[in-house]
Amino acid sequence: MEDGIRVGLLLVATPQLEDPNFRRSVVLLVEHDMEGGTLGVVLNRPTEVPVDRVLPPWAELVTGPAVVFQGGPVALENALALARLPGEEEPLGWRALDGGAEVSRVGLVDLEAPPGLLAAELLQLRVFAGYAGWSAGQLRAEIEEGSWYLVPAEAGDVFAGDPDGLWRHVLRRQGGDLAFVSTFPEDPTLN
């Protein structure tokens, strides 16, 4: 049975989602199995930690800002990276997301591999500490209760130069009611 959730889509937090881990977040889904659950990374939470402090060999390959992003509240001590490559090959040290065409050349990087394996082919790279995770059925329930919008991703979303503006940008490009939601004030009590 299809639930409409798939790798390569974005979860965009609705204004009603008050959990500080996800408030105004944009999450790229990187794994989904209806029985096993869902994993994603928050794309718009840059930290102050430079990549060269935690993963020096990868630092010169990172797309700006050259900081580690907080990918979610789970396993913050673990890093993962997403990279965009050209062409159709799947080089060692990189695994394409199993998503739609919009993010078909975005994939997970094996940070244990030597950076030289991918350096010549990288178009963009971003490093995340932690991830977001949902058990089987949990994410579907959160979408149905109005916590998340499920929308198409674009490869540029993963490597946005202005991560702070990503929430508004993604909603605005959807048009209609979601474009209107993008104007929702940060603090509605000041409206």
Side-chain angles (χ1 to χ4, degrees):
M1 182 172 165
E2 180 63 36
D3 63 1
I5 299 169
R6 66 176 169 80
V7 170
L9 291 179
L10 293 177
L11 292 173
V12 181
T14 68
Q16 292 78 20
L17 184 56
E18 290 296 324
D19 179 338
N21 291 307
F22 295 111
R23 189 170 190 288
R24 290 198 174 218
S25 65
V26 177
V27 179
L28 176 69
L29 299 179
V30 297
E31 290 185 18
H32 177 65
D33 180 317
M34 286 179 52
E35 282 106 42
T38 306
L39 297 177
V41 290
V42 177
L43 301 177
N44 59 334
R45 294 279 191 274
T47 69
E48 307 253 330
V49 179
V51 172
D52 66 357
R53 188 181 314 154
V54 292
L55 290 168
W58 292 94
E60 66 185 44
L61 302 174
V62 171
T63 303
V67 297
V68 175
F69 280 63
Q70 184 174 335
V74 180
L76 288 170
E77 67 284 355
N78 295 326
L80 67 96
L82 292 170
R84 192 169 104 179
L85 303 179
E88 295 181 18
E89 299 295 315
E90 192 162 320
L92 287 173
W94 182 84
R95 178 177 54 90
L97 295 181
D98 207 12
E102 307 84 9
V103 292
S104 65
R105 297 307 298 162
V106 173
L108 292 162
V109 174
D110 178 359
L111 292 171
E112 299 294 319
L117 283 177
L118 293 174
E121 302 205 38
L122 281 176
L123 295 174
Q124 294 170 303
L125 174 79
R126 187 147 287 163
V127 176
F128 300 88
Y131 61 90
W134 295 266
S135 61
Q138 181 184 5
L139 180 56
R140 170 56 44 209
E142 289 183 18
I143 291 169
E144 289 172 0
E145 72 186 16
S147 295
W148 298 102
Y149 302 117
L150 190 61
V151 302
E154 295 178 0
D157 297 335
V158 180
F159 311 100
D162 176 23
D164 293 333
L166 187 61
W167 184 83
R168 286 191 194 294
H169 174 75
V170 169
L171 288 172
R172 193 173 299 125
R173 78 169 180 241
Q174 305 309 310
D177 289 343
L178 293 185
F180 182 70
V181 171
S182 76
T183 67
F184 197 84
E186 186 80 33
D187 184 353
T189 63
L190 300 177
N191 195 5

